[in-house]
Amino acid sequence: MNDLINQLRGAVAGPVLGRGDDGYAAELSGFNLAVTHTPDVVVGLTSEADAAAVVRAAAASGTPVRVLATGHGIPVPIQDGIVVTTTRMTGVTVDAATKIAHIPAGSRWDEVIAAGTPHGLVPVAGASDQVGCIGYTLGGGLGPLARTYGFSSDWARGFRIVTATGEVLPANATEHPDLFWALRGGKGGFGIVTAMDFELVELRTLYGGSVFFDAEYIPAVLGTWADWTKSLPEAANSSVVILRLPPLEFIPEPLRGKTVLSVRFAYVGDAAEGQRLFQPIRDAGTPLIDAVAEMPGSDIALIHNDPKDPTPSWDRGLLLSELDADFVTTFLQVAGPDQQLPLIAVELRHLGGATTRDLPETTAVGGRTGAATLTMIGVPDPTLFDTALPAAADTVLTALKPWINPETTVNFAGAFTIPGSYQASWPTNTFTRLTDLRTTYDPNRLFPYGPNL
């Protein structure tokens, strides 16, 4: 391994670190502090040329390569091979005429939002602006505007990728279209994506935000929300989350130490119409905090207001096929405010609308048949990650089995710990085609991907 490290140090401009080297742990630290990676080598990429050099060296030595951007997307420890980090590859540019953002591999959504805002443009991004753009988009991506604009991957217009031979390929509608198809939703196992072209949408303002209700109102508000979603236009996007909040000072005083329901809303259109559409939710209970109003499109991350700082995290996710009254009753019985659960958040996101429609040229994204997402986030205590949290999640999922959608989407499949979740992340024919393409572009599995990383 020392020979490989020395070879890499002579071939790339970024840092090349082995176990025991200063900066090794810091280079591998991502958003999820519960996961500690200990590969043989970590390389901090500074350019596409660095990525190609790493792949050529890895292929010659038969050493596996994995990619770490922000650390959101690798939920299991990596203990061998080469890990490349992309955080140094930033510098988003926007062509206002074409609405295309050129996004280097290490960029987060906040950088894209900042680059597009002066032009009145925003990305169809995720709920958190701290998530890396590339890994998120490769898995499809369901953000707070998904019903209106579809999966985030639907807006990818091209990629640059270093394949297993060390060759840099463009992948777009006219160049290597099979690879372009796979990268829009197929996730990993194809190479190192070094950049992405992504079309932005015009959105200077929207009507959105979140409103919080105390525990006593959760059954009524949740029932209203589930029924309300059935009549919403595609311009209206919403989600709900039951939060069990600790009594800590950084939490707003009205919510501190309480179990609450947050309803998030994003309406793309006239503020007055958005207010009218949202009124049934306001009427369903007395809010503790009501922060739903007209807002700049650039503030979209405030709708979910996800944590920005790294923390230990644990989650389970999948898709649901329906949100009917029986589902609400059962959901409250196993995850409602009266239950003692080690889950800090249990979230439902309403899908449908544009998420159900594939592009004319088709993409590899899975999950277009889902009516909603279900995500469970555990208390950030690593001592609970192996036993208490899986047991709590299993209890919830067992009760909700009649509503679990056969097909999920890969970004909600976590570490594929639920049996069959890897295969269920795509329709059967899509899964087969992706498997074939991984074999075509990476016959020796230089880029491991799947349940056994």
Side-chain angles (χ1 to χ4, degrees):
M1 192 53 64
N2 286 336
D3 289 344
L4 178 59
I5 290 175
N6 290 332
Q7 179 185 354
L8 289 170
R9 284 175 176 162
V12 305
V16 178
L17 305 169
R19 297 189 186 104
D21 288 341
D22 291 342
Y24 172 88
E27 188 70 26
L28 289 161
S29 181
F31 193 85
N32 185 356
L33 299 181
V35 179
T36 300
H37 302 298
T38 56
D40 298 310
V41 190
V42 57
V43 181
L45 302 181
T46 65
S47 66
E48 189 172 83
D50 278 358
V54 169
V55 171
R56 288 192 294 268
S61 61
T63 306
V65 179
R66 301 171 180 89
V67 182
L68 182 68
T70 62
H72 284 77
I74 303 182
V76 294
I78 297 168
Q79 299 176 325
D80 67 346
I82 300 170
V83 167
V84 297
T85 61
T86 63
T87 55
R88 294 168 181 80
M89 298 175 67
T90 58
V92 174
T93 58
V94 172
D95 183 330
T98 62
K99 304 178 187 175
I100 299 295
H102 181 72
I103 304 174
S107 302
R108 303 173 192 251
W109 286 117
D110 61 350
E111 189 182 352
V112 185
I113 291 170
T117 294
H119 310 291
L121 301 172
V122 299
V124 179
S128 169
D129 62 4
Q130 295 303 295
V131 169
C133 304
I134 302 297
Y136 170 88
T137 305
L138 293 178
L142 289 168
L145 300 178
R147 281 177 46 78
T148 306
Y149 295 112
F151 282 82
S152 298
S153 58
D154 294 344
W155 295 84
R157 297 294 175 256
F159 300 89
R160 288 184 64 81
I161 182 171
V162 181
T163 61
T165 62
E167 185 180 8
V168 180
L169 298 180
N172 53 51
T174 58
E175 300 170 288
H176 305 99
D178 58 343
L179 193 53
F180 182 47
W181 173 87
L183 294 175
R184 290 203 285 184
K187 200 66 173 182
F190 301 99
I192 300 175
V193 174
T194 60
M196 171 176 69
D197 288 334
F198 194 88
E199 185 176 346
L200 309 183
V201 299
E202 294 184 34
L203 188 66
R204 294 189 180 274
T205 64
L206 57 91
Y207 186 82
S210 57
V211 58
F212 295 84
F213 296 92
D214 210 342
E216 64 180 297
Y217 295 108
I218 290 178
V221 176
L222 185 62
T224 298
W225 176 80
D227 187 58
W228 173 74
T229 59
K230 292 176 172 52
S231 61
L232 286 180
E234 291 187 10
N237 304 263
S238 70
S239 64
V240 294
V241 58
I242 294 178
L243 298 167
R244 291 170 169 83
L245 299 171
L248 300 177
E249 290 187 2
F250 70 87
I251 295 171
E253 193 280 329
L255 310 179
R256 198 174 299 158
K258 294 183 176 182
T259 296
V260 300
L261 180 76
S262 174
V263 183
R264 293 87 157 249
F265 187 61
Y267 178 72
V268 179
D270 178 69
E273 178 61 10
Q275 181 176 357
R276 185 193 69 79
L277 283 170
F278 193 66
Q279 194 60 43
I281 299 299
R282 289 190 165 109
D283 292 341
T286 301
L288 292 167
I289 296 175
D290 187 341
V292 179
E294 188 171 19
M295 62 191 301
S298 57
D299 284 347
I300 191 168
L302 296 179
I303 294 174
H304 283 235
N305 205 23
D306 285 352
K308 293 183 179 293
D309 297 324
T311 184
S313 64
W314 180 100
D315 67 83
R316 287 288 181 273
L318 42 73
L319 298 188
L320 303 170
S321 58
E322 191 176 7
L323 295 172
D324 58 15
D326 288 340
F327 168 82
V328 173
T329 298
T330 305
F331 180 81
L332 289 169
Q333 287 171 349
V334 292
D338 295 333
Q339 309 305 312
Q340 298 299 313
L341 295 175
L343 301 173
I344 197 169
V346 184
E347 179 197 66
L348 303 167
R349 298 188 190 183
H350 179 214
L351 302 179
T355 68
T356 66
R357 298 189 295 272
D358 202 353
L359 300 182
E361 67 272 25
T362 75
T363 68
V365 74
R368 294 192 188 273
T369 60
T373 69
L374 167 65
T375 304
M376 295 169 282
I377 299 174
V379 171
D381 179 353
T383 65
L384 304 176
F385 287 8
D386 292 334
T387 54
L389 292 176
D394 287 346
T395 297
V396 173
L397 294 179
T398 297
L400 299 180
K401 185 177 180 180
W403 295 275
I404 293 176
N405 201 53
E407 177 192 329
T408 185
T409 188
V410 66
N411 280 356
F412 280 79
F416 304 127
T417 53
I418 299 175
S421 58
Y422 176 55
Q423 294 85 348
S425 294
W426 299 276
T428 301
N429 60 338
T430 300
F431 181 84
T432 300
R433 185 178 175 189
L434 286 170
T435 300
D436 292 344
L437 283 170
R438 287 190 182 97
T439 301
T440 298
Y441 283 97
D442 185 18
N444 296 318
R445 283 184 58 84
L446 189 69
F447 306 106
Y449 186 70
N452 300 310
L453 285 173

